[in-house]
Amino acid sequence: MTAVTPDDDRAGAPGDRGTVATDTAPEAAPPPRPPDRARLLTPRVVATLLVDGTLAAVVAVVCVLYRVPPHPSDPLNYFDAATTFPSAPAYAAAHQLVRTGLIIPLRLAQEVFGYSQTAYLLVPVLASLLLVMSVHALGTLLFNRFVGVAAAMLTLFNSVVFPDLTQPLPDLMATALLAAALVLSVALRQNRPWAAATGRRRVGTLILIGALLGWSYLTREYIVFCWPLMPLLLARRIPLRQQAWLLLPLAVVAVGETALDTVVFHDPLIRLRGAADHGSVGTPTTDDYIGQSPRWYLTRLPTILSTTPEGLFLKAAMVAIVVGALFSRRIFFLLAWALLFYVPLVTLGGLIDPEAPKLRILKERYWLPLVPALLLAAAGGLWLLLNNRIRAVPFLRARTRLAAGVAGVATLVVAAVPAGVAQHARAGNLADPVNQTYAANGGTQWEAFRSWLDAHAGEVHTIWADKRTIRPLGIYVRPPIGGPLWHGRLRVLPVRTRPAAGDHVVLYSAYSGVCVSCRVGEQRLLGRPVRPPANWHRVFGSHGRMVEVYEVR
């Protein structure tokens, strides 16, 4: 007997004598059962969630343990620019004022947590999490999960990346946004269901890619050098008419920024002018990139990489990305990523006009956007090489999945070496001023001062500090998550006016190289070396005399 479905035309057909009419209404069909949780949480999905969750947790823990205090330079310039946005603060330069992709998130954090340490750390920590997880996703999509984890750990502990994990600076954040856009672009190219299952979903993914690119431009304008990677990935996979959706958020960003710059700064091109002026005019401590030979500019990247503890590995990665591109299309794509950034950065950074460079290429963080490409190529190329060699073993020749797993484990082991070397130097070389600032290495002196101030808030009414020290001091006279802690007054310590009896004076880095500008300012006020007056009595001193508080008697 053939079953009759509700959609079958034979049901109730004329002449069907098997049908018996009754006065009883048919029973309603039972509601569809929800998907079985056991079917959704397959072993593969559980493994993915465990790996991703563990990696995200590691990033968060590392950022908390290795947080750094605010430095009275670029990081605090952006933080202060967020406080007064859209008005101009006293410290930020023109090229910093317009990086609204960083400034607006910082302002939102301040609206929630106030002018506090949490607001200072939140945005860079989220950007670091996005960067590491995006590198992990790229490695997984382009190669496999072993490569993704290896590249993510190499990125997290890389000596060029690590110092900026908890500092509100534009380079790391722009790199993270670019990497996230690349993840979506690769997913579209590979027709992954979560990104391209339907036409509407593809359009949404393209709009999100455009939004990430626009945000990256608002954060650090030189990231546009890498934008051609998107059409390179989408070519012949997504119709041009559909790719046009990517331009929609970019148009919104362009119109919005032009309107904002016109209204606030009365110059719609202030971003481009500020960036060009910033490159061609150096400060006394950073003008040695001007007027150099062509070789100096061309070799700046390997020179910077050589200064890191894992420099030998990073230079090997540079070689690997070039050689690997000859054998693998995936590594060729990573080489294109690196070259798209390297060539214009070096060209505009002084190669064609050494006396008036348009971009600075002196600092390590200026090279951040190509670091993920190098590390992905290193991890991916290593896995390809090991997999090829391991499959030559007779026992593994026909067991391709086992061979790939063995190669993956070996890749993780090898990748742990440079990451371990960098971390060992970070934890062991406390003579380096940068390493001294990490909380895990004892760089919590400002937090110890805040605890002291909380215990003596009723006794302290006026605190003096030099014009540099007073900037981080403004964060630590408040609780970690906003709110009142101390209701006194902060004053800048001038050369001629002296604090009155009962006032307190804070000295920061007066005897170390952690904050050179703070030390120089205090030496200008109190002599070289710093010698507090006889009527100043020390009432608080942190480890290593990094932060000291004196009461005027």
Side-chain angles (χ1 to χ4, degrees):
M1 181 176 178
T2 305
V4 179
T5 63
D7 296 328
D8 198 322
D9 291 336
R10 295 175 299 169
D16 185 1
R17 297 185 180 182
T19 303
V20 179
T22 67
D23 294 330
T24 304
E27 293 183 4
R33 296 179 60 185
D36 189 357
R37 183 176 297 180
R39 294 181 180 179
L40 293 177
L41 295 178
T42 62
R44 184 183 185 91
V45 172
V46 171
T48 299
L49 293 176
L50 285 175
V51 172
D52 292 353
T54 301
L55 183 59
V58 168
V59 176
V61 169
V62 168
C63 287
V64 171
L65 292 179
Y66 282 86
R67 64 191 182 277
V68 296
H71 190 72
S73 183
D74 290 354
L76 267 178
N77 289 350
Y78 289 109
F79 196 64
D80 289 341
T83 305
T84 60
F85 178 82
S87 301
Y91 288 95
H95 68 280
Q96 295 172 336
L97 291 175
V98 295
R99 287 174 181 161
T100 51
L102 173 61
I103 291 173
I104 292 177
L106 287 173
R107 179 57 182 266
L108 295 176
Q110 291 175 7
E111 290 294 327
V112 177
F113 299 106
Y115 192 85
S116 65
Q117 184 183 15
T118 299
Y120 181 87
L121 295 173
L122 181 62
V123 173
V125 168
L126 292 177
S128 301
L129 184 63
L130 178 62
L131 173 62
V132 175
M133 298 307 294
S134 296
V135 170
H136 168 244
L138 277 172
T140 303
L141 291 173
L142 292 174
F143 300 95
N144 53 55
R145 189 165 295 279
F146 291 106
V147 173
V149 172
M153 298 309 292
L154 286 172
T155 301
L156 176 61
F157 291 101
N158 178 264
S159 296
V160 178
V161 176
F162 201 90
D164 292 350
L165 290 179
T166 59
Q167 297 198 71
L169 291 167
D171 308 85
L172 186 143
M173 186 172 181
T175 304
L177 294 167
L178 171 70
L182 286 172
V183 170
L184 297 177
S185 300
V186 172
L188 280 179
R189 179 178 179 83
Q190 296 179 352
N191 203 31
R192 300 280 174 165
W194 55 268
T198 64
R200 181 174 297 180
R201 190 172 295 181
R202 281 196 298 272
V203 169
T205 304
L206 287 166
I207 292 175
L208 183 54
I209 292 171
L212 290 169
L213 293 178
W215 189 0
S216 70
Y217 164 76
L218 293 176
T219 304
R220 190 70 156 95
E221 51 281 338
Y222 71 178
I223 205 70
V224 298
F225 298 153
C226 299
W227 283 11
L229 292 170
M230 310 309 149
L232 179 66
L233 286 170
L234 300 178
R236 300 173 62 183
R237 300 301 174 96
I238 304 296
L240 285 176
R241 182 177 298 179
Q242 208 169 50
Q243 289 186 41
W245 285 104
L246 189 149
L247 302 176
L248 178 61
L250 294 179
V252 172
V253 166
V255 172
E257 183 185 43
T258 301
L260 178 67
D261 291 346
T262 301
V263 172
V264 176
F265 305 109
H266 309 291
D267 183 1
L269 301 178
I270 187 174
R271 176 185 291 271
L272 300 180
R273 300 184 202 280
D277 292 342
H278 178 58
S280 59
V281 180
T283 62
T285 57
T286 60
D287 60 2
D288 55 351
Y289 64 95
I290 299 175
Q292 299 290 343
S293 65
R295 181 180 178 182
W296 188 93
Y297 297 103
L298 290 171
T299 60
R300 189 60 5 211
L301 176 60
T303 300
I304 287 175
L305 298 181
S306 298
T307 62
T308 64
E310 72 276 31
L312 183 62
F313 168 82
L314 294 177
K315 288 190 291 184
M318 290 182 61
V319 176
I321 195 173
V322 176
V323 176
L326 302 175
F327 303 95
S328 170
R329 293 176 63 185
R330 290 167 287 183
I331 296 183
F332 180 83
F333 160 72
L334 297 172
L335 176 63
W337 175 354
L339 289 178
L340 280 172
F341 186 78
Y342 174 85
V343 172
L345 186 71
V346 172
T347 301
L348 297 176
L351 184 62
I352 59 174
D353 190 359
E355 299 302 325
K358 300 298 182 290
L359 296 171
R360 291 183 175 182
I361 61 174
L362 188 66
K363 293 184 178 180
E364 292 87 346
R365 61 184 172 91
Y366 297 159
W367 296 92
L368 266 175
L370 62 71
V371 170
L374 287 178
L375 300 179
L376 280 164
L382 179 62
W383 180 83
L384 289 173
L385 178 63
L386 292 174
N387 188 51
N388 181 269
R389 293 294 89 199
I390 289 174
R391 290 177 64 182
V393 177
F395 172 73
L396 297 172
R397 187 170 299 157
R399 297 173 173 85
T400 55
R401 295 186 63 180
L402 179 58
V406 173
V409 172
T411 299
L412 290 173
V413 171
V414 174
V417 174
V421 168
Q423 179 58 26
H424 180 267
R426 191 173 297 122
N429 182 18
L430 298 184
D432 187 341
V434 174
N435 294 338
Q436 295 177 27
T437 62
Y438 296 126
N441 292 343
T444 57
Q445 293 92 343
W446 276 120
E447 296 172 17
F449 160 79
R450 181 172 56 206
S451 298
W452 173 87
L453 182 62
D454 187 25
H456 299 81
E459 306 168 12
V460 181
H461 305 289
T462 301
I463 297 179
W464 297 74
D466 77 279
K467 65 179 182 179
R468 291 284 188 176
T469 300
I470 206 167
R471 299 185 67 196
L473 177 62
I475 291 179
Y476 289 95
V477 296
R478 295 174 172 86
I481 308 181
L485 172 71
W486 175 69
H487 299 283
R489 183 173 58 162
L490 292 178
R491 297 192 63 180
V492 177
L493 188 66
V495 177
R496 296 180 180 179
T497 304
R498 294 296 179 181
D503 291 350
H504 290 74
V505 181
V506 171
L507 302 182
Y508 176 52
S509 188
Y511 311 99
S512 76
V514 168
C515 180
V516 175
S517 60
C518 301
R519 185 184 65 193
V520 170
E522 289 159 352
Q523 288 175 344
R524 188 179 298 114
L525 296 168
L526 302 172
R528 183 176 181 181
V530 172
R531 293 178 180 174
N535 63 328
W536 288 16
H537 176 68
R538 191 171 73 172
V539 293
F540 170 79
S542 68
H543 172 70
R545 302 187 69 183
M546 191 67 65
V547 179
E548 293 183 321
V549 182
Y550 291 86
E551 181 182 0
V552 180
R553 298 287 175 88

